Amino acid sequence: MVGKKSGKALRDEGLERTDNNMDLSSWPQVAAINQKNYYTDYLKRDDQYLAFRLANEEARIKMTKTAKDRDRALAMAKSNEAEAEAEADGDANMEDAEDTPTETAGSKVIVIHVGSQNLRIGLSSDALPKTMPMVIARKSTTNESEDQEEPKPKRFKRDDGTDEDPERVFGPEWSSQYTTMASDLKARMKANKRRMLPNPKEGVVNFNRKQSPEVISEHNDPERVEWTELETPPQEYIIGQPALRIPDTSKPRYKLFWPIQNGWCNERDYESKRMLFLDISLILEEAIKGHLGLRSKKDWAQYSCVFVIPDLYEKSYVTQVLEMLMREFGFSRVCFIQESLAATFGAGFTSACVVDIGAQKTSICCVEEGMCIENSRVNLKMGGNDVTETFIKMMLHDHFPYADINLWRRYDYLLAEELKKNLCTMDEAKVSPQAFDFHLRVSGQDTQKHNFKAFDEGHLAPMGFFEPTIFDNSHKLDGRRKLIEKSVDIYDGQPNDPTSAAQSEIMTALAPPLPSNGRANGESQSTAPDVQATPGRPQQSSALGRIQEQEATPRSSVAGSPAPETAGTPQAGGAGTPAVTAPTSQPARPAVEYRDDILPVFPLDNAILTSIAHAARSDEKKMRDFIGGIMVVGGGSLTNELHAFLEARLKALRPGFQKEIMIGVPPRDLDAQVVVWKGASIFGKLSGTNDSWIGKLEYDRLGHRLMAYKCMWAY
């Protein structure tokens, strides 16, 4: 056994143990966590959020400033104590007046409402906004009418000069539906004891076939158009109304781009996401400089911005717009407001069902006490432009004298919009053969005056809101998700955009069966709709039937009667709307929420009732409140007598609410097109009580994550 070495021997060999009180490592030592009593207050207090901390700090600074100003005012008034108090109060009142949100915010807040066709912009202190087309014309080798293979819509002529058969040009399916709608209108007018001439359609067609244009020289035309003159050298791009007045045969050619289409970013006509948002920023920049007079970008840092977004928005679009407004435009503060909420602000309503009919989309949402009810939000991809196209298509079907009309051409598009505004009406009393005229003005050519007759086209075209299969919906999904990916959650990869039970109900009704097994959740092969076919009416109305079925059960149970085997047939709709049954024995189809291959186009009256049903959730009082407070806004709602017609359709669908159903209009004779902008401008003045402003400092630190804390709704 080896003996133990002495301390001296270890020291001589360098093996002696020494303790110099030094740590084994310079890396910080963390004490073990007590697993029994583990607790943390991380992100559990408001002062741990930068957004709340900055807001509290701003309020504290403002309170300190007010106190100092009051003390200074008291110190300056020494001669008379009474006058000193009066002056102190006066100074304090003047200071309060300077800090009044209405004055300060009103003159330094820019309100922007971007639409598919028009941009509305102005200061919050303005009574009405400035409106300009949301379009930009860029230099190109061809214009938009030369790029399109098939003009929309257009009637062709044979080689001998005679008109082609309309049914052959427009297709037998569309012609058949148009004829059916005309027959239904005729039967409805006869039932309402309205006198009609014999064979009115044939008389209109024969009159139109005989017409030839009258030529008016340019110097004799008092309303000749001022066309946009190109500079030398030509501009790279032209924005707004001047872009629509560029001659189609200009040298060089210009091509129109509409960055927003159908309420979505226009991915069909753009090749890159950068160019798409560049055009949006150029249009906004030109509007701020031209219409608001803020020529220097250095001054923009003194201004705040209120930006209106859709109720069912896409987060990728909102975050991109936020970055543009903060980084590129350099605004001091930015906040967002949803369209329907802004509409109630503009109209002064506390609760309402807002129906916003725009140029290319229709949004429906129930608003209660300053909040959009999430599950009531509906977004339909149809609007006033569809009425314009369908109206011209119907006129061409009835041998419109100007057979060469092409809505891809700028002057023809403006002419079609003018004809729609003048002729379209939902008043059946005005449906009769009538003579009209219009002037065709083309750059470099003499003006042509055309005479024509119209019968029921002006009524049947806006009827497409209630029978949307008459609209041309074939190209609205082209290019979808080509440039902008769907926003997804960074943790679980699930879609991140807001959803709505009402929208899901409508999408489920329109959806074909899932392609995995050819049927959806137990549907038999015989009941599964054709994937290629356009959904028919019974399929569209099934959403309303299911909702009414859900509502019928609690009402019947109150009376003590047992629930029926099948859903009660909902109240009969207007002419052409079949009764709906939804058998409970068949399994329900799975809800459709996140499919981009389904176009949400649905009858307007059924969509409104679907939205209200999801907002009320079987609450009878809420149902009566919303159904009696329907407010229709937007440019597409300006069709004559649309409100009365919609009200009659809703009463026919729900006869149990005959007395409650009422369609309201914006108060104080406010233009329906600017109600949303007006509400956003009022919202911009509420700087004292509005906590949704996003400042530069917090955006630089947190970016778009701030939206979760700043928005008044669940972002």
Side-chain angles (χ1 to χ4, degrees):
M1 181 176 178
V2 180
K4 186 177 180 181
K5 290 189 177 182
S6 64
K8 183 176 180 298
L10 290 173
R11 187 169 59 251
D12 293 342
E13 294 179 9
L15 299 176
E16 183 184 15
R17 182 174 180 178
T18 60
D19 189 2
N20 53 9
N21 295 323
M22 293 182 66
D23 293 332
L24 297 176
S25 170
S26 61
W27 195 262
Q29 301 276 330
V30 180
I33 296 176
N34 184 352
Q35 296 289 341
K36 285 186 177 181
N37 303 311
Y38 178 68
Y39 175 77
T40 179
D41 60 354
Y42 176 64
L43 294 185
K44 291 184 178 179
R45 298 197 309 268
D46 285 352
D47 58 1
Q48 293 174 334
Y49 291 94
L50 177 66
F52 293 114
R53 223 168 35 242
L54 291 176
N56 293 335
E57 185 178 345
E58 186 178 351
R60 195 181 307 113
I61 292 173
K62 184 176 180 180
M63 186 174 61
T64 306
K65 179 178 179 293
T66 304
K68 287 182 178 179
D69 291 342
R70 188 180 296 111
D71 293 342
R72 189 181 302 112
L74 288 170
M76 290 177 62
K78 296 179 181 179
S79 57
N80 191 338
E81 189 171 349
E83 291 182 3
E85 291 181 2
E87 283 187 19
D89 292 338
D91 291 342
N93 290 336
M94 288 177 62
E95 184 64 35
D96 291 340
E98 291 176 1
D99 290 338
T100 299
T102 304
E103 279 191 29
T104 306
S107 57
K108 292 292 184 180
V109 176
I110 297 174
V111 182
I112 300 175
H113 181 202
V114 173
S116 301
Q117 185 169 345
N118 290 313
L119 164 69
R120 291 182 173 85
I121 188 170
L123 296 175
S124 187
S125 56
D126 294 341
L128 294 173
K130 309 292 191 300
T131 302
M132 62 177 284
M134 187 69 187
V135 64
I136 181 171
R138 288 187 171 276
K139 276 202 301 187
S140 175
T141 55
T142 58
N143 60 37
E144 60 276 8
S145 62
E146 296 170 344
D147 281 349
Q148 302 298 325
E149 296 179 0
E150 295 183 5
K152 57 168 194 176
K154 185 177 179 181
R155 192 176 79 242
F156 299 98
K157 288 182 176 291
R158 299 190 184 94
D159 294 336
D160 58 358
T162 58
D163 289 336
E164 186 69 72
D165 181 26
E167 185 172 334
R168 183 177 176 184
V169 174
F170 298 108
E173 185 178 349
W174 188 89
S175 297
S176 174
Q177 185 175 1
Y178 175 38
T179 305
T180 303
M181 290 175 65
S183 301
D184 292 342
L185 173 62
K186 189 175 181 180
R188 204 158 57 239
M189 293 178 67
K190 182 178 288 188
N192 293 333
K193 303 292 190 295
R194 300 193 186 279
R195 181 178 297 178
M196 295 181 61
L197 295 174
N199 300 325
K201 183 74 74 174
E202 289 77 1
V204 168
V205 171
N206 293 332
F207 179 87
N208 289 340
R209 277 176 169 165
K210 299 174 183 177
Q211 297 305 308
S212 57
E214 175 188 350
V215 178
I216 302 175
S217 57
E218 187 175 358
H219 63 274
N220 288 332
D221 185 5
E223 299 180 4
R224 57 181 177 272
V225 175
E226 297 294 334
W227 300 96
T228 301
E229 295 184 4
L230 303 181
E231 299 176 357
T232 306
Q235 309 97 303
E236 189 64 33
Y237 57 84
I238 301 174
I239 293 172
Q241 188 64 33
L244 296 178
R245 288 302 184 186
I246 301 175
D248 288 71
T249 57
S250 63
K251 295 182 181 179
R253 293 280 199 273
Y254 279 83
K255 186 176 181 180
L256 297 185
F257 290 92
W258 303 81
I260 306 294
Q261 292 284 272
N262 300 114
W264 288 325
C265 289
N266 183 6
E267 301 172 82
R268 178 183 60 198
D269 298 333
Y270 283 88
E271 298 299 327
S272 70
K273 179 181 175 181
R274 186 187 67 83
M275 284 299 298
L276 171 61
F277 282 98
L278 175 63
D279 281 359
I280 294 177
S281 66
L282 287 174
I283 295 173
L284 294 180
E285 183 177 338
E286 179 66 24
I288 294 173
K289 289 180 177 179
H291 291 289
L292 302 185
L294 303 176
R295 291 289 176 183
S296 175
K297 269 195 172 184
K298 295 179 181 178
D299 299 335
W300 295 7
Q302 305 172 17
Y303 286 80
S304 306
C305 178
V306 178
F307 196 92
V308 182
I309 59 174
D311 305 319
L312 279 174
Y313 52 86
E314 293 187 344
K315 286 192 175 181
S316 55
Y317 168 71
V318 175
T319 54
Q320 195 78 27
V321 167
L322 177 60
E323 182 178 2
M324 179 195 308
L325 298 176
M326 297 298 294
R327 300 267 191 244
E328 189 175 339
F329 291 176
F331 291 129
S332 62
R333 299 183 305 172
V334 173
C335 74
F336 294 93
I337 184 172
Q338 294 170 292
E339 285 178 339
S340 295
L341 179 58
T344 57
F345 269 83
F349 295 164
T350 55
S351 64
C353 176
V354 179
V355 182
D356 187 353
I357 306 176
Q360 297 180 7
K361 78 171 177 63
T362 298
S363 61
I364 307 167
C365 179
C366 294
V367 181
E368 186 178 28
E369 300 299 336
M371 292 291 290
C372 293
I373 300 177
E374 293 183 359
N375 283 332
S376 70
R377 295 176 294 184
V378 172
N379 195 310
L380 307 178
K381 302 305 177 184
M382 62 181 186
N385 277 14
D386 294 298
V387 176
T388 303
E389 290 183 19
T390 306
F391 172 66
I392 298 299
K393 200 171 181 180
M394 290 177 174
M395 294 296 297
L396 289 171
H397 192 279
D398 296 340
H399 297 269
F400 188 54
Y402 179 33
D404 197 40
I405 189 171
N406 175 8
L407 295 191
W408 289 113
R409 289 199 292 254
R410 295 151 206 168
Y411 56 86
D412 282 345
Y413 166 76
L414 296 174
L415 172 65
E417 284 285 320
E418 182 183 353
L419 289 175
K420 179 193 74 171
K421 291 177 183 177
N422 294 336
L423 272 68
C424 284
T425 178
M426 298 304 295
D427 187 0
E428 294 180 1
K430 297 182 179 178
V431 178
S432 62
Q434 299 180 54
F436 302 94
D437 62 67
F438 66 89
H439 293 77
L440 175 64
R441 298 177 175 90
V442 184
S443 175
Q445 300 181 19
D446 289 335
T447 302
Q448 294 183 358
K449 180 181 178 182
H450 290 263
N451 295 304
F452 68 98
K453 274 190 176 183
F455 173 46
D456 56 3
E457 300 87 355
H459 180 84
L460 296 180
M463 270 290 294
F465 286 131
F466 308 97
E467 299 187 25
T469 50
I470 198 69
F471 291 154
D472 181 11
N473 302 313
S474 56
H475 300 294
K476 293 181 180 179
L477 287 176
D478 290 355
R480 182 75 173 140
R481 299 297 179 195
K482 183 178 75 172
L483 304 177
I484 303 174
E485 293 295 330
K486 187 182 297 183
S487 176
V488 295
D489 191 274
I490 60 175
Y491 295 107
D492 56 15
Q494 293 297 317
N496 214 15
D497 290 332
T499 58
S500 162
Q503 184 80 357
S504 176
E505 185 80 17
I506 289 174
M507 298 287 276
T508 304
L510 296 173
L514 298 176
S516 57
N517 55 2
R519 62 191 69 182
N521 196 17
E523 281 188 352
S524 63
Q525 191 67 32
S526 60
T527 59
D530 184 10
V531 177
Q532 304 295 331
T534 304
R537 270 203 167 271
Q539 189 182 358
Q540 291 176 337
S541 302
S542 60
L544 181 62
R546 281 193 291 273
I547 293 166
Q548 291 172 334
E549 174 192 355
Q550 295 167 4
E551 292 179 350
T553 304
R555 291 200 198 101
S556 58
S557 61
V558 171
S561 60
E565 287 292 322
T566 61
T569 304
Q571 295 77 9
T577 305
V580 183
T581 58
T584 55
S585 57
Q586 271 194 345
R589 298 174 63 183
V592 176
E593 292 181 357
Y594 308 122
R595 289 182 60 178
D596 290 323
D597 58 341
I598 303 172
L599 183 69
V601 173
F602 203 69
L604 181 62
D605 46 358
N606 286 343
I608 292 173
L609 293 178
T610 304
S611 173
I612 293 177
H614 281 278
R617 296 184 65 83
S618 301
D619 187 334
E620 190 79 17
K621 182 179 183 302
K622 281 189 177 181
M623 171 70 76
R624 295 185 183 278
D625 288 343
F626 286 131
I627 214 165
I630 301 174
M631 181 176 63
V632 182
V633 298
S637 68
L638 297 179
T639 304
N640 185 30
E641 294 297 326
L642 175 64
H643 298 76
F645 188 86
L646 176 59
E647 188 173 306
R649 294 275 300 197
L650 292 175
K651 287 180 178 178
L653 283 174
R654 302 303 297 266
F657 294 94
Q658 287 274 354
K659 296 180 180 179
E660 287 84 3
I661 292 178
M662 186 172 65
I663 307 295
V665 295
R668 302 181 298 275
D669 295 328
L670 192 62
D671 187 357
Q673 300 178 86
V674 302
V675 172
V676 174
W677 182 93
K678 188 66 178 176
S681 71
I682 295 172
F683 180 73
K685 299 174 186 177
L686 304 176
S687 60
T689 57
N690 183 0
D691 298 329
S692 58
W693 289 106
I694 299 174
K696 276 188 174 181
L697 174 62
E698 47 195 348
Y699 181 76
D700 289 340
R701 294 186 181 180
L702 296 180
H704 62 82
R705 288 178 292 170
L706 271 170
M707 296 289 288
Y709 307 118
K710 289 293 187 176
C711 289
M712 297 185 298
W713 65 92
Y715 181 74

